[in-house]
Amino acid sequence: MQKEGERLIPINIVDEMKSSYIDYSMSVIVSRALPDVRDGLKPVHRRVLYGMYGLGVFSNRKYLKSARIVGDVLGKYHPHGDSSVYDAMVRMAQDWSLRYPQVDGQGNFGSMDGDPPAAMRYTEARLKKISDEVLSDLDKETVDFQNNFDDSLQEPTVMPTKVPNLLVNGTSGIAVGMATNMAPHNLSESVDAICAYIDNKEITIDELMQHIIAPDFPTGGIIYGYDGVRDAFHTGRGRVVLRAKVNFEEIGNRNAIIVTEIPYQVNKAEMIARTAELVKDEKIPGIHEIRDESDRKGLRVVYELKNDAIPNVVLNLLYKYTALQTSFSVNNIALVHGRPEQLNLKDIIHHFVEHRHEVIVRRTQYELKKAKERAHILEGFMKVIGTQDALDRAISIIRHSANPQAAKEGLIEAFELSDIQAQAILDLRLARLTGMELDKIRDEYDAIMKEIENLEDILANEPRRFQIIKEELIEIKEKYGDERRTEIDYSGGEMSIEDIIPNESVVLTISHAGYVKRTSLSEYKIQSRGGVGNKAATTRDSDFLEYIVSATNHQYMLFFTEKGRCYWLRVFEIPEGSRTAKGRAVQNLINIEPDDKIKAYIRTNNLKDSEYVNQMSVVMVTKNGTIKKTSLEAYSRPRVNGVNAIEIRDNDQLLGAYLTNGTSEIMIATKNGKCIRFPEEKVREVGRGSIGVRGIAMEDNDEAIGMIVVNDVENETVLVVSEKGYGKRTAVEDYRITNRGGKGVITLNITEKTGNLIAIQNVTDEDGLMIINKSGVAIRMGMDEMRVMGRNTQGVKLINLKKNDEIAAIAKVEMDKDVEEDSEELEEGEEGVGTLFDDQEENTAPQTENENTAEENSDSEE
């Protein structure tokens, strides 16, 4: 009912709702949910820091009750509920929430399992050291202040931060009609990028990305793929895929997946509970038990597997169905001059640098003003007490004045002082009138004048101001910079990793039991022929290294199994291990069947190069002498579960696979010392599903041991090695060209002393040779040490073997002439170690009369 004197004003409800909702939404956007681009803080975080600044709880002071801090912030600056302030302060203290925490909390501040913090009356807090840099120079009129909610106090509108807080800590918030989700980054990388921008304002985002590589999350983990990162840096929006950091261990007789880092913002307890439900519902088979073994030393979640489970398959299911793989949707929206804007990487850096420049200017102006005020007073001192007569005259004026005001006026009139100078003279203590104090005043005046000159130069010299910004940033980096926590798996995306991963030479080793590793070639030092060798790998009982291959990080590895399937890996995807490391079971890297085994491999270049894959062919040979040729293009589309490569018959086995270019020559050797040479065109190209044709005819007790592909007949030589350490180099021309399917000629006279032939390789003087025996001892030697000899010889001893040891494998490697010879050889008496070569006899006895057995020219298909 309308009261007397009141007037009703009719308002359209639609217009009122629009106006009120816009006011509300702008309040949420500007005063609650979005950070300022300059300091990266929302109002509540800024008020927490300023409240703690006002209470003096700096990093070098004692802790203060959280309730006291929250109460002060609420009463002075933040008119909302106490939980809004305390929850914000708690997050600022959690090292799994912020990359660089700003509050130092004491007590229960929650956990990664989602446990709530203790009540504010139980916890204590103070500022972190890095927060001192955020608040630095706040008292030097560097930023604007505004009235608080009741106009009783002033609060800063922005912090004069030296730390690029928006970049390094990120933020997230939901406003009205928009949201922000900014990823944290590494401080050292961010400083490097900002300094690069200061040096070159026209720098491109791609050039900035050479410094600030990707987000760096406080919980570590792995960024899987780079496309989302690139999109976020270029546009301000992108989807970054995060994976947990895992490794494989053997616990008892079971394999286990060990998680040591989880994706950002994942609740560990919920993740484990959800995984347990999926295991119970049989959506993730193969898991026997899940345990959380995390403690103060770090995070550790154990997924113990069943005996028949393939670790790599289980891990892929965990990535697919659980929070071991999540995505972080970057949406860089922040307030620029009070308006929300979407920002790319360069925009964020630009606005931070502009803010720092303004802070430097205002700080310098403030310091200049203070310096001039002090100089003005010092000038007054020197006028009045600079000489004994002037001092006596001033004292006389003061003594004969009726009151301070009269004394001040007398001094002003007598010495032509300003009011401020005269008051400063009256405020002087008598002790300052001594001769020594006068000298100090003169020295202080000289120092002040130099400081004024310096400050005026800073204000007049813009390049110098930017240099100061750089110097302060570099100081921040030296104080608080650290190593990147989040790794990047470029293979998960489309980025060309050739620009990221150095294409260095490596040695890949594969053991008989299927353990594989990648080791830098420089770890294997060069030794002379007949050397002792050095320990190459730690293998399991009854295991030995079976394959060694030199490669570069950018190449592909195609693995062929004894069941005739083919699998793919990039070389850099194979885990790196030291020379003595056991390596990783290949079943953990590719989805090979449990009862299958790797029998051959080839290295290829880029499989996406259509011209390359159509020019090259894959030639395979089996133990029974079957040979098969297929275009590399048939293997150029990698599949997770592999593809059929060759049909293997009963009692046969794949021995090797090789790349050919269409004009190569093929040589196949057998364990009884026979070898055949024929042109590649003698083998017609067939599809992946075919069996192949006969490569060499053998006696019943014989079998093929390997094949080589010769491309340079004049310069390449044939190296054959027997199981008891004998070998020789022979010119390719010594083996005459025949048709495919013949019996071949004798390549090594097999005796009890030499043992059966185990390897054939094509080498030149520039090549190196890696020899490894079944006990794990390796020797690396240069082929230039081994002269070329006739096919009619037994060869020389390459490595001395002890205790019935045998050679397991040889591989051709590149020789690094700058590598010094390895002097740290194994002790002579150590088990399984050869001795220095001392019996370099060369047997040139003629071979048997049956050496030149007529070749069979059968071309029949098998």
Side-chain angles (χ1 to χ4, degrees), residues 374-387 391 424-425 428-449:
R374 182 60 180 164
H376 181 63
I377 291 172
L378 293 174
E379 286 169 355
F381 286 170
M382 289 188 292
K383 280 183 181 180
V384 175
I385 62 176
T387 64
L391 178 58
I425 295 293
L428 266 180
R429 293 184 298 118
L430 289 174
R432 299 296 301 275
L433 302 181
T434 63
M436 187 178 293
E437 287 297 316
L438 180 58
D439 290 340
K440 287 184 179 179
I441 289 171
R442 289 196 182 106
D443 291 343
E444 184 184 354
Y445 180 75
D446 291 340
I448 285 284
M449 294 311 292

Side-chain angles (χ1 to χ4, degrees), residues 624-639:
N624 288 347
T626 299
I627 186 169
K628 175 187 173 182
K629 177 180 172 184
T630 306
S631 171
L632 178 60
E633 194 276 335
Y635 303 96
S636 64
R637 290 170 290 278
R639 299 182 193 172

Side-chain angles (χ1 to χ4, degrees), residues 292-469:
D292 186 358
E293 298 180 356
S294 306
D295 55 20
R296 291 175 181 268
K297 295 179 182 178
L299 185 145
R300 180 181 166 91
V301 180
V302 178
Y303 297 86
E304 199 169 307
L305 306 183
K306 296 177 181 177
N307 290 329
D308 59 345
I310 302 171
N312 200 53
V313 174
V314 176
L315 180 59
N316 285 335
L317 290 172
L318 288 171
Y319 283 146
K320 183 175 181 180
Y321 293 114
T322 75
L324 282 190
Q325 177 174 309
T326 62
S327 62
F328 185 93
S329 297
V330 176
N331 188 18
N332 294 340
I333 292 182
L335 296 175
V336 180
H337 306 301
R339 297 168 62 90
E341 287 187 15
Q342 187 150 21
L343 306 165
N344 61 32
L345 176 62
K346 188 174 179 180
D347 294 334
I348 297 171
I349 291 174
H350 165 74
H351 290 299
F352 173 75
V353 171
E354 289 299 304
H355 174 55
R356 281 304 298 162
H357 184 257
E358 182 183 353
V359 168
I360 297 293
V361 170
R362 293 179 65 163
R363 182 183 71 190
T364 307
Q365 289 172 340
Y366 174 84
E367 290 173 347
L368 180 61
K369 180 181 72 172
K370 291 296 181 183
K372 287 183 174 179
E373 289 173 357
R374 182 60 180 164
H376 181 63
I377 291 172
L378 293 174
E379 286 169 355
F381 286 170
M382 289 188 292
K383 280 183 181 180
V384 175
I385 62 176
T387 64
Q388 189 63 45
D389 291 342
L391 178 58
D392 292 343
R393 186 179 171 197
I395 292 172
S396 176
I397 291 171
I398 295 170
R399 285 181 61 193
H400 292 92
S401 297
N403 53 53
Q405 182 60 33
K408 183 193 292 186
E409 292 171 356
L411 289 171
I412 291 172
E413 184 178 348
F415 295 98
E416 297 182 352
L417 301 176
S418 69
D419 188 85
I420 294 171
Q421 288 174 325
Q423 185 61 48
I425 295 293
L426 291 175
D427 292 339
L428 266 180
R429 293 184 298 118
L430 289 174
R432 299 296 301 275
L433 302 181
T434 63
M436 187 178 293
E437 287 297 316
L438 180 58
D439 290 340
K440 287 184 179 179
I441 289 171
R442 289 196 182 106
D443 291 343
E444 184 184 354
Y445 180 75
D446 291 340
I448 285 284
M449 294 311 292
K450 288 181 180 177
E451 178 65 15
I452 289 172
E453 183 181 353
N454 178 51
L455 293 171
E456 286 176 339
D457 180 65
I458 291 173
L459 289 175
N461 191 340
E462 186 180 78
R464 192 172 171 206
R465 295 197 293 273
F466 282 110
Q467 185 61 32
I468 291 171
I469 296 173

Side-chain angles (χ1 to χ4, degrees), residues 147-334:
N147 288 337
N148 69 339
F149 59 88
D150 63 357
D151 295 345
S152 62
L153 295 166
Q154 291 263 299
E155 62 174 323
T157 57
V158 68
M159 290 296 180
T161 176
K162 292 181 180 178
V163 181
N165 196 57
L166 191 62
L167 265 181
V168 300
N169 271 331
T171 189
S172 63
I174 301 173
V176 176
M178 65 183 66
T180 185
N181 201 34
M182 305 183 74
H185 297 83
N186 184 271
L187 177 60
S188 300
E189 292 179 3
S190 300
V191 168
D192 290 342
I194 295 169
C195 290
Y197 170 80
I198 292 173
D199 291 337
N200 175 21
K201 300 290 177 60
E202 303 302 318
I203 192 170
T204 64
I205 293 175
D206 286 328
E207 290 170 334
L208 286 172
M209 287 166 61
Q210 294 176 10
H211 301 281
I212 185 164
I213 303 169
D216 188 23
F217 297 97
T219 53
I222 297 170
I223 292 173
Y224 185 65
Y226 202 73
D227 287 348
V229 174
R230 193 190 304 108
D231 291 342
F233 281 157
H234 278 271
T235 68
R237 293 179 70 93
R239 181 174 172 270
V240 179
V241 178
L242 287 172
R243 281 185 166 183
K245 191 172 185 180
V246 303
N247 55 69
F248 300 97
E249 290 183 12
E250 289 185 12
I251 300 177
N253 59 349
R254 295 182 186 276
N255 287 320
I257 297 171
I258 311 296
V259 176
T260 53
E261 295 174 7
I262 60 175
Y264 185 49
Q265 294 176 334
V266 166
N267 184 311
K268 175 162 62 71
E270 288 183 4
M271 179 189 76
I272 293 172
R274 171 64 179 155
T275 306
E277 290 177 10
L278 292 169
V279 172
K280 185 179 179 182
D281 295 340
E282 297 184 352
K283 286 189 175 179
I284 303 182
I287 294 180
H288 171 69
E289 185 182 6
I290 306 174
R291 296 190 303 276
D292 186 358
E293 298 180 356
S294 306
D295 55 20
R296 291 175 181 268
K297 295 179 182 178
L299 185 145
R300 180 181 166 91
V301 180
V302 178
Y303 297 86
E304 199 169 307
L305 306 183
K306 296 177 181 177
N307 290 329
D308 59 345
I310 302 171
N312 200 53
V313 174
V314 176
L315 180 59
N316 285 335
L317 290 172
L318 288 171
Y319 283 146
K320 183 175 181 180
Y321 293 114
T322 75
L324 282 190
Q325 177 174 309
T326 62
S327 62
F328 185 93
S329 297
V330 176
N331 188 18
N332 294 340
I333 292 182

